[in-house]
Amino acid sequence: MGKLIQNGIRIDGRKFDELRPVKIEVGVLKNADGSAYIEFGNNKIVVAVYGPKEVHPKHMEMPDKATLRCRYHMSPFSVEERKNPAPSRREIEISKVTREALEPALILEDYPRTAIDIYVEVLQSDGGSRCAGITAAAVALADAGIGMRDMVCACAAGKVDDTIVLDISDVEDKEGQADMPVAYLPNLKQISLMQLDGKLTAEEYEECLNFALKGCLQVYEIQKETLQKRYFSEVSKSE
Amino acid sequence: MSEIKRKYVLPGDYIVDGNYRLLLNAIKIGNSIHSTRIGIAEVSDDGVRVIPLSGVYIPRVGDLVIGKIISQSALAWDVDINSCFIAHLPAQDVFEDFNPAKDDMKKKFNIGDLLTCRITAFDRSRDPLLTVADKDLGKIKEGEIVKIAPTKVPRLIGKRGSMIQTIENITKCNVIVGQNGILVISGEDKSSIELTIKAIKIIEKEAHTPNLTQRIKEMLEKEKV
Amino acid sequence: MSRRSSIVIEHLRQEQMEALLKVGKRLDGRGLTDYRELKIETGLIKKAEGSALVSLGNTQVIAGVKIEVDKPFPDMPDKGLLICNAEVLPLASAYAEPGPPDEAAIELARVVDRGIRESEMIDLSKLVIKENEKVYAVFIDVSILNTDGNLFDATSYAVVSALLTTKIPKYEIINNELIKTNEFINMPINTIPISVTMAKINNSIVVDPTNEEEMCMDARVTMTVDEANRVCAVQKGERGTLSIEQIKEIINLAIYKSVDIREKIKGVVYGKEKEQ
């Protein structure tokens, strides 16, 4: 122990409550109704949203709301050893929790008999790719103009060398003691994704959750800046 | 008219506190009203609305749209109106006392035809229904097609049509504006059509900026031949 | 699947459920934090190295453990292998269909696996025959026989009970040859992890939801707790959300409920061993 934290500084030079650098761009894919690109640490992820659109296959159509579908996929070259391009069980699970993290924010009842498709493609992976994917997907959904009760921002916290830290990197995930990805609806103050790998006491759990929520709020600010720059920057120029 | 407060908002953003009516793209969280879209929030005595700046076209009854016939069944034409719903134009709307055994639908419209139509019915459970039975509706015979983001259409039209009239008056072109973001421009000569398209593209790009009508007017006056 | 069955639930029943929840009661007469009757039977499949049949109310699952000898993963040469899988059999309900596991079944297997793995229930370092070359591989397969809600806990209890009663046939390497001896070794156990699944229905939190309750729930949280009362694995599922206060409530609830269930499993597993 003590490998990952020395003198209060983490292995990549961060403080306990410091995020990795985050950069988001909007409208990166011309064909998509909404799209976003995110760099979250060494994660590089592109997200496309299509919809509301016609539902294929037809039997997935729902009479009272839109059918929300989500695919989280890792490119074969996104990891150290080539990943088989067929969806793994891990990717299927992450697709499910990503969809469930975003769904409470979406007003699907406004779009009956349609489909909304979210494609999360991980081009380069690092720790916390599901959180980065959810964060970018929320921006892409706003860009697509889907009605949203709130934004969704996501960030993980965890335990490394017996210390609770924010935003677990790849190394910290593999060598650390716990990883807790969280997604948050910041205005509704609701948690829509919560998972945990690793051991925490009840007290540590609360501390870790509070850390993750602080990270989520920082991510939320970056999401807002990105969208404001894309949609409203001409305003500030001319005013 | 009471005062209207305007504000640029993102989904989840706080707009105002209090007991306002929720007119468009706004929801209540506790006692405060928040936006559900990227757009411009307008707070007036009527209530709160957010004019969206992004999104695909969702049909509304009364909308004028431009669509293309993509197939024909025994009783109706199916029309692509740039939406997630395929619209239907019943043959009854075009023929008096339509009789599928006697009347040849092909005599009126064919697959591939472009139509200007109005949406007469649409709800959560039914696809949009169209009519061409009014003046200025029906088959489009000439003109240049331009597509813009459907969310920018209200800005292109302007308050009581001020923007589109400004353009038409200066360029002497005729612009049919579909609420679904499809436009048909016809005019005397190629250069004035091109100038019209240029103005439309500027409006699409700078839809949310102030004094746009004035700037478009100046640009058109300057470049008019 | 959930969609189609949700049409089946009667609206009157849902209203009744929600009215009862407000006064702290449930349709089947349980309190909000009561489990259904838990029945565990172990060692019933003689061909498997360990097995358990678990009934949680009407939910019924069977778990079997098979031990094989395999090469270790290259990044963990000094650890045995643990592979957990779950399948909802077509005979389990009118809505189950044959075919590859859907996302719900994959989530189930992965969440149960995570609870066993992250709690370090099994000391995998003791499952090595020769480092870098031969280790024991523990395959746990779970078949869902009848579904009536809370597959997560029923599956987890079946896996835990089966592992606790597993006897590993001992292998040795003699003159570079792998030889199966007549001896057996006990599964090296560190802790007994207990999965506690809670459902949020209309802002009420209930434990051990039935199928009917799952059809109405907004969100589901499964927490796995070890013997030191630490939370080892968590999965929030479904489209609803939770507030911070609700999460604090369910952490304490999960820790509290896990104690009784662990005693129950210990009673069945170790009580039986004493009889033999």
Side-chain angles (χ1 to χ4, degrees):
Chain A
M1 279 303 150
K3 273 192 323 201
L4 297 169
I5 295 181
Q6 281 181 347
N7 305 327
I9 298 289
R10 292 154 75 179
I11 195 156
D12 53 8
R14 282 186 290 156
K15 295 196 272 293
F16 298 156
D17 60 349
E18 192 178 337
L19 282 182
R20 288 169 290 176
V22 181
K23 198 181 92 185
I24 313 175
E25 280 173 52
V26 201
V28 292
L29 297 173
K30 291 284 164 261
N31 280 349
D33 294 313
S35 61
Y37 169 76
I38 189 167
E39 288 184 9
F40 201 123
N42 288 321
N43 283 301
K44 292 179 198 279
I45 301 170
V46 61
V47 179
V49 170
Y50 284 90
K53 60 175 207 179
E54 268 186 283
V55 191
H56 292 292
K58 211 72 187 162
H59 69 83
M60 286 187 83
E61 190 179 289
M62 292 195 276
D64 54 345
K65 60 175 188 171
T67 305
L68 182 66
R69 295 180 291 206
C70 178
R71 176 182 130 121
Y72 165 100
H73 184 253
M74 293 176 81
S75 299
F77 47 78
S78 64
V79 278
E80 212 68 46
E81 274 183 47
R82 178 177 183 268
K83 190 208 146 279
N84 184 330
S88 66
R89 290 162 66 89
R90 176 182 171 274
E91 286 167 292
I92 291 169
E93 188 205 332
I94 295 182
S95 299
K96 183 173 187 285
V97 296
T98 299
R99 188 188 72 226
E100 290 170 344
L102 294 165
E103 189 168 342
L106 300 176
I107 309 173
L108 298 180
E109 306 84 73
D110 282 0
Y111 312 99
R113 302 183 295 126
T114 65
I116 297 168
D117 286 331
I118 304 167
Y119 299 104
V120 179
E121 185 71 28
V122 181
L123 303 174
Q124 179 175 293
S125 94
D126 191 359
S129 68
R130 78 192 65 185
C131 288
I134 289 167
T135 298
V139 171
L141 284 161
D143 184 41
I146 312 280
M148 296 169 87
R149 294 183 181 89
D150 202 347
M151 281 297 284
V152 184
C153 42
C155 187
K159 187 175 160 191
V160 169
D161 286 352
D162 294 321
T163 310
I164 302 294
V165 296
L166 180 64
D167 183 24
I168 300 286
S169 70
D170 219 359
V171 185
E172 288 171 329
D173 183 20
K174 288 200 177 80
E175 309 281 327
Q177 295 153 298
D179 178 20
M180 182 197 286
V182 172
Y184 191 48
L185 280 59
N187 294 289
L188 292 165
K189 298 188 171 52
Q190 290 285 312
I191 290 151
S192 65
L193 167 90
M194 184 176 64
Q195 294 179 292
L196 171 71
D197 285 45
K199 294 179 204 149
L200 295 174
T201 64
E203 294 74 39
E204 286 172 331
Y205 197 106
E206 278 189 30
E207 193 189 344
C208 196
L209 181 62
N210 285 331
F211 253 69
L213 293 179
K214 271 187 217 159
C216 289
L217 291 177
Q218 289 179 49
V219 169
Y220 178 45
E221 290 305 317
I222 300 167
Q223 289 176 313
K224 283 201 290 190
E225 272 169 38
T226 309
L227 284 168
Q228 277 159 354
K229 206 171 126 203
R230 169 78 171 78
Y231 278 93
F232 309 141
S233 67
E234 301 289 328
V235 181
S236 45
K237 250 187 257 168
S238 54
E239 267 172 0
Chain B
M1 274 291 280
S2 63
E3 194 192 352
I4 295 176
K5 282 185 225 148
R6 290 162 146 260
K7 192 172 172 181
Y8 293 96
V9 286
L10 301 174
D13 278 4
Y14 165 83
I15 302 172
V16 71
D17 275 334
N19 251 335
Y20 289 93
R21 275 179 63 205
L22 304 175
L23 299 174
L24 192 66
N25 299 323
I27 53 159
K28 213 154 189 193
I29 304 179
N31 190 40
S32 55
I33 294 168
H34 294 247
S35 171
T36 65
R37 299 277 289 269
I38 300 174
I40 302 163
E42 291 183 352
V43 181
S44 67
D45 287 349
D46 290 349
V48 180
R49 75 173 78 232
V50 175
I51 316 291
L53 289 176
S54 71
V56 301
Y57 175 66
I58 304 285
R60 275 186 314 180
V61 173
D63 277 1
L64 183 90
V65 294
I66 291 164
K68 185 164 138 184
I69 296 181
I70 50 168
S71 66
Q72 180 193 319
S73 64
L75 300 169
W77 291 276
D78 296 335
V79 184
D80 181 348
I81 55 165
N82 189 31
S83 159
C84 46
F85 302 101
I86 299 291
H88 305 287
L89 175 64
Q92 260 174 11
D93 187 76
V94 182
F95 293 90
E96 242 173 89
D97 295 326
F98 175 67
N99 179 350
K102 239 172 52 203
D103 295 316
D104 182 8
M105 285 171 69
K106 287 203 167 60
K107 281 192 178 148
K108 294 284 183 183
F109 300 130
N110 279 295
I111 290 171
D113 283 357
L114 278 181
L115 305 177
T116 309
C117 1
R118 199 172 289 284
I119 297 175
T120 56
F122 171 66
D123 62 34
R124 293 173 62 86
S125 58
R126 271 178 313 174
D127 286 338
L129 218 56
L130 302 173
T131 181
V132 289
D134 206 342
K135 78 173 175 59
D136 296 336
L137 300 184
K139 191 161 156 180
I140 297 165
K141 296 191 177 76
E142 52 159 24
E144 191 114 353
I145 302 286
V146 174
K147 273 187 168 188
I148 67 167
T151 49
K152 307 293 163 66
V153 169
R155 191 67 197 92
L156 174 62
I157 294 170
K159 279 216 176 64
R160 296 186 190 86
S162 59
M163 179 72 93
I164 196 70
Q165 276 165 22
T166 304
I167 298 172
E168 284 182 327
N169 289 342
I170 298 174
T171 63
K172 307 277 182 260
C173 286
N174 180 37
V175 186
I176 308 171
V177 183
Q179 292 286 340
N180 56 344
I182 297 175
L183 322 173
V184 179
I185 301 154
S186 47
E188 292 290 304
D189 59 288
K190 193 112 182 85
S191 62
S192 59
I193 292 178
E194 273 167 12
L195 185 60
T196 307
I197 295 174
K198 186 178 172 187
I200 290 168
K201 287 292 170 191
I202 293 173
I203 295 164
E204 186 187 17
K205 201 164 155 257
E206 300 177 12
H208 54 284
T209 59
N211 304 325
L212 189 57
T213 317
Q214 191 55 36
R215 275 185 287 138
I216 290 294
K217 198 173 173 182
E218 282 162 17
M219 187 280 286
L220 289 172
E221 297 283 9
K222 206 172 87 191
E223 299 197 13
K224 174 175 74 164
V225 275
Chain C
M1 180 192 117
S2 62
R3 178 86 199 163
R4 237 188 314 165
S5 12
S6 76
I7 297 166
V8 177
I9 184 169
E10 299 154 58
H11 286 280
L12 286 174
R13 205 95 174 131
Q14 183 169 352
E15 278 171 28
Q16 205 182 340
M17 177 192 303
E18 286 168 2
L20 278 173
L21 285 172
K22 276 188 196 136
V23 293
K25 288 189 184 136
R26 293 162 79 173
L27 281 178
D28 55 8
R30 280 186 289 162
L32 300 190
T33 60
D34 293 341
Y35 264 82
R36 290 171 287 179
E37 193 189 355
L38 171 64
K39 283 190 232 159
I40 302 168
E41 197 185 325
T42 57
L44 65 162
I45 305 292
K46 299 297 173 208
K47 301 267 172 170
E49 275 78 38
S51 60
L53 174 69
V54 164
S55 309
L56 191 56
N58 289 329
T59 293
Q60 211 174 22
V61 310
I62 186 163
V65 178
K66 295 297 291 177
I67 307 284
E68 287 175 13
V69 175
D70 211 331
K71 278 179 81 166
F73 286 126
D75 55 337
M76 286 188 290
D78 55 347
K79 295 257 169 79
L81 304 179
L82 178 73
I83 290 128
C84 182
N85 205 358
E87 192 183 350
V88 181
L89 299 181
L91 56 75
S93 91
Y95 304 103
E97 276 171 25
D102 63 1
E103 57 168 27
I106 289 171
E107 184 187 28
L108 171 65
R110 284 181 58 84
V111 169
V112 171
D113 180 285
R114 202 172 293 157
I116 308 295
R117 200 177 294 278
E118 295 296 334
S119 66
E120 298 172 271
M121 176 189 179
I122 296 169
D123 188 348
L124 293 176
S125 62
K126 295 215 173 96
L127 294 181
V128 179
I129 303 166
K130 190 172 182 205
E131 202 165 298
N132 257 323
E133 281 175 29
K134 292 276 181 267
V135 297
Y136 293 105
V138 181
F139 288 91
I140 315 155
D141 288 281
V142 184
S143 296
I144 315 289
L145 301 173
N146 198 65
T147 62
D148 186 15
N150 200 7
L151 299 183
F152 286 83
D153 289 353
T155 303
S156 179
Y157 304 156
V159 168
V160 167
S161 305
L163 284 171
L164 288 173
T165 51
T166 296
K167 301 283 185 205
I168 302 172
K170 194 174 178 198
Y171 285 82
E172 278 174 1
I173 294 180
I174 301 167
N175 297 332
N176 275 333
E177 227 178 304
L178 188 71
I179 305 217
K180 187 177 181 177
T181 68
N182 288 327
E183 290 170 51
F184 288 90
I185 46 177
N186 280 329
M187 187 61 82
I189 302 289
N190 283 326
T191 186
I192 301 178
I194 298 297
S195 152
V196 177
T197 295
M198 294 150 284
K200 177 182 140 182
I201 309 169
N202 259 3
N203 277 322
S204 301
I205 306 282
V206 302
V207 300
D208 182 26
T210 61
N211 191 45
E212 219 167 18
E213 286 168 334
E214 286 187 349
M215 291 310 155
C216 303
M217 72 183 167
D218 306 299
R220 181 201 71 230
V221 179
T222 300
M223 289 194 165
T224 307
V225 182
D226 72 1
E227 282 189 88
N229 284 343
R230 289 176 298 191
V231 183
C232 311
V234 173
Q235 179 88 341
K236 178 252 157 192
E238 300 305 317
R239 69 175 75 96
T241 58
L242 295 151
S243 68
I244 300 158
E245 291 69 35
Q246 279 165 335
I247 290 173
K248 287 176 185 168
E249 182 188 336
I250 60 175
I251 298 167
N252 292 322
L253 184 56
I255 292 172
Y256 170 71
K257 292 311 289 184
S258 68
V259 178
D260 281 353
I261 292 164
R262 188 174 298 109
E263 285 312 308
K264 168 102 189 177
I265 291 179
K266 272 184 175 173
V268 171
V269 169
Y270 296 133
K272 190 167 180 174
E273 277 187 348
K274 274 171 210 152
E275 277 168 36
Q276 284 173 344

